[in-house]
Amino acid sequence: MSHETTGIEYLFQDPKIHLDERVRDLVSRLTLEEKVESMLQYQPAIDRFGVAAYKHGTEAAHGIAWLGEATSFPQPVGLACTWDTELLRLIGSVIADEARVYYRRDPKLNGLTLWAPTVDMERDPRWGRNEEAYGEDPYLTGELSKELVKGIQGDHPVYLKAVATLKHFLGNNNEVDRGSGSSSIDPRNLREYYLRAFEKPFTEGGAQSMMTSYNLINGTPATLYHGVNDIVRDEWGMDGFVVSDAGDVMGIVNDHQYYDSHTPGVAESIRAGIDSITDDAELSKQAIREALAQGTLQEEDLDRALFHTFRVRFRLGEFDPATDNPYALIGEEALMTEQARELSLRAAREQIVLLKNEHELLPLNPARCGKVAVIGTHGNEVYRDWYSGTLPYRITPLEAIRAKLEGEDAKERVVYRDAKNRVILTAANDGAKLTVDSSGEMRLSQDGEPTVLTMTDWGYGSVTLHDEHLGTYVTSDEETLRVTADEAYGWYVKEVFGLTPVGQGEHLWTTWNGKPVIAGTEGSLKVVEAERSALNAVESNASTVSGQSHTTFQVETVSDGLAEAIAAAQAADTAIVFVGNHPLINGKEENDRPGLELAASQQRLIEEVYRVNPNMIVILTGSYPFAIPWVQEHIPAIVYTSHAGQEHGTAIADVLFGDYAPAGRLNMTWVQSEDQLGDIKDYDIIRGGRTYQYFEGESLYPFGHGLTYSPFEYNDLRTDAPKDSVKSIAALDAVDTLQVWVEVTNRGVATGEEVVQLYVRPGASRVKRPLKTLCGFQRIRLDAGETRTVSFTIRMKDWAIWDVTRDRYCVESGEYTLLAGASSADIRLEHPVYVRGEVIPPRQAGRSIRAENFDDCSDIVLDESKEQREACVRPRTPQRSGWIAFHGVDMNTVSVVELQCRVSGNSSDATIELRLDTPDSEAVARVNVGNTGGAQAWATLAEAVHSVSGTRDVYLWLSGEVRLAHFTLGANATEDSGFQA
């Protein structure tokens, strides 16, 4: 049958043709300029072929965001605390359904390529974007995000419901200098930790898109990182498209200062795997045109990128009849359904973690809990984070608690105090008081009625000011203040202010970005520019800011929120204190947290309420872990929840009163103090002792922790591995799959849920191994007295480490111990197994060894070697020496008489010393590198070594501004002697 008789004009329009042929046909018909135009996030319409305009990128971290009302789910940090893979898949499906609704409304602007989930590893709880990701464990993150991907993309063999975009690849876990800083990640950390979280969503979840990160990876901008093509595409087989983060391709010049112009960065990004550029459209297109003209970019490079982006669009069904695509007709009926509401409530319940429950204070009995004091601003609020959608409704904890105690005396039984101060602001110089009119205009007046503002102290110098009469917040622009904001929200949260004491009851009033608020003419208020030195002068009681007479303010307390809270708690039988963070204050995208502690005002609130009413529960609402050792020591019951969306309050009340038994588990280790953490920019979890895998300190709450209302008993941990006649324990080969079973019994009097966790603890190893590693989990529901056998399937290859001596994964021979329990620290049963794997051989002298493949290091970071695909190493700072160690180098295979190094030097004192066995031994060779012509001017230098033999540990000391790419120990070594990792 000809195309003419079927109404098909072009090959790409024929659904019967193989997908890849159709995509290539479409791309081949585009003009070069059309291809250039289509390389951007907003792909234009190509009318002559009936190709519609399309936008890549709709935010969907926990519900569709920024398009209008949509079902809201808990923050991803909360979703991770559910440890429920089925739930994540169902949530993904709802998100995709609602994306389809908005796509049908406006397909040009509301795309189906969704920017979720965030798969970044959270090895540091101070990260400002902690609420967006799934925790510190790559196995948990991989399993949960894999299922979210499956839900988003659907299960049709041809068509996609929507597309999941994993972000941010790779090593993106700090906001400080995120656009210019480099994450130093050696091969073992890379392969065993950071990459593992991303692998399953691709290889098992089939994710069709990925976003690169803002940071550099070992000195290379993530948009240029070879791992996008080498690992994600070639190793994992990802056949979708890669998108850059917003503004990051131009950031190669603007932030990283990696090139002097945009043209080489844009060209190299496309060659390195970026298929869709989310950036300044005109600058990007001009750079592409220039690169094509210069020959640094070829048309086939554009063809390859557009093949990836259009292939995904074909799979979304855009080019096929709607009758062929089961997702094409999803309409308004799929938006905010009753089933979606119930799923939101289920998720909000499941993510709640019971941190402590002394004397079984929880659940509360409505008939016996007496008068209840609900205290704290979080008790009557539901906050949104930056990637939250527009909530269709919100149920606060106070509303839900009152509903639980329904009856004629409900209002009398539940007393609410927000613990906020009501204040009047007065200009200290002339006594003029702040007034607000009905339009929200603010003025200082000598005779007007002063306006009382409600002040919320968020800690770390941040407050918000609210006019309860108008129902709006004080907000600022570059020059003025008004009381017009419905909530504290935005990329720049301009509703945040500072009121810094400057002595004698006076305060310096500053805006969200540190600009002083002063008295203007005729009672007006002005926001002015001020250098930090000028602000310091004001805080030291100097007289001017930027040449202007400064204004300080007196803060008069009209009503003392703390005193009111104490009085309410004292008069109540049960006190429930709500504390936590605001998702957009003191920790958000672009801002890491200033500390792990609660706001000092919240800590004092807890202590003072406890002093008058020890029958007290703390509800901690947070986007991240907190350091709360005093609370843990003193408060009998502590509950943690993320900002959980529309059903936030209902879920909390259900847990408090026993209508739902909590079973959430922490997705991160909660430390006692920030002192237990290293530098936030240190990405080496192995040597830094990060996460439950390597942390040897005493945690506040361990990874996987969470209590329940029913006791669960574990019995009979067993496997299907046969007993080895020599080892006398269960044994199997490294290529095998292991079945594991454990019996779990609910010993309580009510139905409850348990998260059964399975870990593995390795035995003797060539390298430092984790204390334990999660290798399986299941969330189960058991009736009172019920016993269930929980099964796990484990692939032995998943226990592999990255062998830096041979550049590949390796399952070491030896004994491993399976650990089953309720958390990483609450292990109930153990079972040993022996794995017949490999013994890693010693390195052989005489072969080239890559510097990045060290076994240990001190004061070393990885950087870029532009002449090779591997990273190089250098001292952390040029002023400090550092060393790298290579254990077990066999020097019997060759007469070692020379140390040869591929190096660059950028200072006269740049040197490399060779030491053996210990880092402090005498140097047996010293290479004076000096200045080779710059950091990327590479040279091969050699120095004689006194004859050595045996199997030795090799230490290379680097001093000055020196970089080492690889080295060889041997006789007559040559530059092309061949690489061994």
Side-chain angles (χ1 to χ4, degrees), residues 336-642:
M336 297 181 292
T337 65
E338 178 62 22
Q339 292 78 13
R341 186 201 69 79
E342 292 174 355
L343 190 65
S344 175
L345 176 57
R346 172 182 166 184
R349 287 167 165 170
E350 286 196 18
Q351 55 92 45
I352 291 177
V353 182
L354 181 60
L355 296 174
K356 182 182 178 182
N357 192 23
E358 198 172 68
H359 310 308
E360 296 184 348
L361 177 58
L362 293 177
L364 298 173
N365 185 328
R368 298 177 184 174
C369 62
K371 188 173 183 180
V372 176
V374 175
I375 295 169
T377 182
H378 289 81
N380 199 29
E381 294 281 1
V382 177
Y383 292 109
R384 297 193 298 153
D385 63 40
W386 177 243
Y387 292 106
S388 292
T390 303
L391 277 60
Y393 62 91
R394 58 188 76 191
I395 299 174
T396 72
L398 176 63
E399 293 167 339
I401 290 169
R402 281 183 169 153
K404 294 293 182 186
L405 300 175
E406 61 183 349
E408 294 182 2
D409 62 343
K411 289 188 177 180
E412 288 73 25
R413 287 188 64 190
V414 182
V415 176
Y416 175 62
R417 297 290 182 269
D418 59 20
K420 302 176 185 178
N421 286 349
R422 272 67 181 173
V423 301
I424 292 172
L425 298 180
T426 304
N429 59 341
D430 62 4
K433 297 185 182 298
L434 181 70
T435 63
V436 181
D437 67 17
S438 59
S439 69
E441 183 178 351
M442 305 177 71
R443 301 188 65 78
L444 292 168
S445 173
Q446 295 285 354
D447 50 14
E449 184 68 25
T451 297
V452 176
L453 296 175
T454 302
M455 183 169 68
T456 306
D457 179 4
W458 295 105
Y460 303 101
S462 299
V463 301
T464 51
L465 299 166
H466 184 254
D467 187 322
E468 292 180 311
H469 178 69
L470 294 179
T472 50
Y473 286 85
V474 181
T475 189
S476 66
D477 57 26
E478 293 304 306
E479 296 181 352
T480 61
L481 303 181
R482 293 182 65 81
V483 190
T484 55
D486 293 329
E487 60 182 328
Y489 188 81
W491 181 258
Y492 301 113
V493 189
K494 297 181 179 181
E495 295 72 44
V496 174
F497 295 92
L499 282 169
T500 306
V502 292
Q504 300 177 348
E506 298 181 17
H507 297 76
L508 177 67
W509 190 359
T510 52
T511 61
W512 65 276
N513 54 353
K515 295 182 179 181
V517 177
I518 68 170
T521 58
E522 299 180 356
S524 65
L525 291 170
K526 292 177 57 180
V527 177
V528 297
E529 295 284 348
E531 299 294 335
R532 182 66 252 177
S533 58
L535 291 178
N536 289 339
V538 173
E539 292 170 9
S540 302
N541 295 315
S543 59
T544 62
V545 174
S546 298
Q548 305 180 62
S549 295
H550 75 267
T551 305
T552 57
F553 293 84
Q554 292 176 339
V555 181
E556 177 188 346
T557 300
V558 177
S559 63
D560 186 330
L562 177 60
E564 292 173 347
I566 293 170
Q570 195 165 18
D573 299 289
T574 304
I576 308 175
V577 177
F578 286 81
V579 294
N581 79 308
H582 188 295
L584 292 170
I585 300 174
N586 296 331
K588 60 178 286 290
E589 188 166 358
E590 287 201 327
N591 299 107
D592 290 317
R593 297 168 65 189
L596 300 181
E597 295 78 16
L598 290 170
S601 60
Q602 292 185 358
Q603 180 67 33
R604 187 183 174 196
L605 174 66
I606 293 170
E607 293 179 13
E608 291 298 315
V609 169
Y610 177 72
R611 180 175 56 83
V612 299
N613 189 344
N615 193 46
M616 174 181 169
I617 303 152
V618 166
I619 309 294
L620 181 57
T621 303
S623 306
Y624 32 62
F626 290 89
I628 51 169
W630 189 96
V631 180
Q632 168 61 21
E633 181 181 354
H634 294 88
I635 305 304
I638 309 169
V639 174
Y640 167 70
T641 172
S642 73

Side-chain angles (χ1 to χ4, degrees), residues 294-333:
Q294 295 168 4
T296 56
L297 195 63
Q298 305 300 320
E299 185 171 0
E300 50 261 38
D301 294 319
L302 303 188
D303 290 346
R304 182 176 57 253
L306 294 175
F307 175 84
H308 295 146
T309 55
F310 276 109
R311 189 177 190 276
V312 167
R313 288 177 63 176
F314 270 86
R315 290 200 63 195
L316 287 166
E318 178 183 343
F319 299 92
D320 294 352
T323 52
D324 292 352
N325 178 4
Y327 306 124
L329 299 180
I330 294 174
E332 296 294 326
E333 76 286 346

Side-chain angles (χ1 to χ4, degrees), residues 84 350 660-663 665 708-715 742-757 778-791 822 828:
D84 189 335
E350 286 196 18
Y660 182 81
R665 298 293 190 271
T708 64
Y709 290 161
S710 295
F712 286 83
E713 181 178 288
Y714 287 65
N715 289 291
V742 61
E743 288 187 357
V744 181
T745 303
N746 180 353
R747 293 300 184 192
V749 296
T751 298
E753 293 176 82
E754 175 77 345
V755 178
V756 183
Q757 300 169 41
Q778 284 191 45
R779 183 169 180 140
I780 61 172
R781 183 178 181 86
L782 297 179
D783 292 332
E786 181 183 358
T787 297
R788 183 180 305 173
T789 299
V790 180
S791 64
R828 310 288 180 85

